Amino acid sequence: MKVIEDLQSWRETRRGLQGSIGFVPTMGALHDGHAALLQASVESDDVTVLSIYVNPTQFNDPNDLANYPDTLDEDLKVAQALGVDYVLLPRYADIYPDGYRYQVVENQFSNELCGSNRPGHFTGVLTVVMKLLNLVRPRRAYFGKKDYQQYMLVRDMVETFFMDVDIVGCETVRECDGLAMSSRNKLLSKDARREAAKFNQTLRAPVDDAHVRAQLAAFGFQVDYVETRGNRRFGAIVVDCGEHTVRLIDNVEACEVA
Ligand code: PAF
């Protein structure tokens, strides 16, 4: 496995690569959800590229960015064990030589759900994903369905800009109690971690969205949104851990309301 920090040397390496390239973009703090994406790529593609880049332009809260977990040494061990071929660790100046003057803006769905309380979040996500896809030029790129809105927006962007890459959505990987795997789970206190299981369990309840919101609030979570769109119910909550808060998102297949 080769770890590459310098994008110039990556671009030279990329020119020499043959076969199908599978790409998993991440912000590190790898968990079993990321492992599933990497496994899917290793199984389907000749070469697997992982990027680890905590993208500042998608954080609208500076504390969230400052607290984002950094477990690089562990991440590299995980990647090596899974058979990743290349790990890209770019720096801000290399990713944003334009100082973020150029942006990929979607004007509708990106302002809803997670976008409604996180202005600019999806512009940051789409811009960095476009840049990374142009750098890696993969046949397939793998995204987790835990971030379903992100997955849909990336799929839509790729179609809109005629980009030659398949966006593969992989199922959410969950802890035994149903909590969706997320890098942010590492930030939950012990008590908050136990309580957080109620988020997924409540989202699955056969009651309408208003009841789910009320139930989550009664458990002590700050509810950002709970909304059913088509056959999925989406939710986001903020969990109070005493000294800090942790924002969690999830989505489940919508069930018949009793
Ligand atoms: O899902 C994530 O970890 C990030 O939003 C992504 C896709 C790596 C872009 O920074």
Side-chain angles (χ1 to χ4, degrees), residues 240-253:
D240 189 350
C241 297
E243 312 236 297
H244 64 280
T245 56
V246 179
R247 189 171 184 279
L248 300 178
I249 65 171
D250 200 353
N251 66 88
V252 299
E253 200 174 323

Side-chain angles (χ1 to χ4, degrees), residues 23-28 31 34 37 51-59 68 96 121-122 124-129 132 142-144 146-147 150-151 154 183-184:
F23 176 44
V24 180
T26 76
M27 299 204 295
H31 50 69
H34 294 118
L37 306 181
S51 68
I52 299 180
Y53 177 63
V54 183
N55 173 39
T57 66
Q58 70 188 75
F59 286 82
Y68 203 81
Y96 292 105
H121 167 65
F122 285 115
V125 169
L126 292 177
T127 304
V128 81
V129 170
L132 291 167
Y142 297 82
F143 288 81
K146 198 263 293 171
D147 298 290
Q150 165 175 283
Y151 159 63
V154 168
S183 304
R184 288 191 167 82

Side-chain angles (χ1 to χ4, degrees), residues 175-180 188 191-203 216 219 221 237 248 250:
E175 305 280 358
C176 298
D177 61 7
L179 179 67
L188 292 167
D191 288 349
R193 167 64 193 86
R194 205 176 39 242
E195 289 297 296
K198 293 178 179 160
F199 179 30
N200 178 257
Q201 289 154 12
T202 311
L203 277 183
L216 288 170
F219 287 138
F221 301 124
I237 56 168
L248 300 178
D250 200 353

Side-chain angles (χ1 to χ4, degrees), residues 1 7 29 36 45 65 89 92 94 99 101 112 148 153 188 214 225 248 255:
M1 183 176 86
L7 286 187
D45 297 293
L65 174 60
L89 302 175
Y92 181 86
D94 293 327
R101 284 184 301 121
E112 300 171 17
Y148 206 89
L153 284 164
L188 292 167
Y225 63 82
L248 300 178
C255 58

